[in-house]
Amino acid sequence: MIINFNEISETEIQHMNNGDGSIFAKMMMTTECKVIYRRLPPGSSIGRHVQTRLSETSYVISGEGIQSCDGTQESFAEGMCIFCPKGSSLTITNTGDKDLILFSVVREKKI
């Protein structure tokens, strides 16, 4: 299956999980997973949420930020990967001066 994000409309999500600002997402969803291209403008964040059913892996295409997974805060930048296992809490904040671009896979079943 090919997912062409160039053909998927971008959706604005304001204050996602009580985060700051807006994030912009292009999503492909099935019953087993979500594949998401996300853009967080400078200062925007995804508020704390618990991965109740799924684990989340995000590759940082560009930008920089801070993630907190179960209270452990870590900085990340382009070329790195963010992982938050099922059952953990997560926040992501863009701390840079340009858009933070993430390619994320949220998956319920083990590969």
Side-chain angles (χ1 to χ4, degrees), residues 69-80:
C69 185
D70 290 335
T72 300
Q73 200 170 52
E74 299 174 294
S75 296
F76 61 82
E78 183 175 322
M80 299 173 87

Side-chain angles (χ1 to χ4, degrees), residues 31-52:
T31 56
E32 296 178 4
C33 74
K34 299 176 193 174
V35 180
I36 313 164
Y37 178 92
R38 292 189 271 195
R39 179 173 62 85
L40 285 76
S44 292
S45 67
I46 298 171
R48 182 166 310 283
H49 60 287
V50 177
Q51 299 299 109
T52 55

Side-chain angles (χ1 to χ4, degrees), residues 73-99:
Q73 200 170 52
E74 299 174 294
S75 296
F76 61 82
E78 183 175 322
M80 299 173 87
C81 202
I82 300 166
F83 177 73
C84 190
K86 178 180 170 182
S88 296
S89 66
L90 175 67
T91 64
I92 297 174
T93 303
N94 180 349
T95 59
D97 58 1
K98 65 178 185 174
D99 285 353

Side-chain angles (χ1 to χ4, degrees), residues 13-45:
I13 304 167
Q14 297 179 355
H15 306 289
M16 184 171 187
N17 298 315
N18 294 314
D20 295 325
S22 293
I23 72 159
F24 299 86
K26 297 181 179 189
M27 296 181 270
M28 188 287 301
M29 297 188 293
T30 71
T31 56
E32 296 178 4
C33 74
K34 299 176 193 174
V35 180
I36 313 164
Y37 178 92
R38 292 189 271 195
R39 179 173 62 85
L40 285 76
S44 292
S45 67

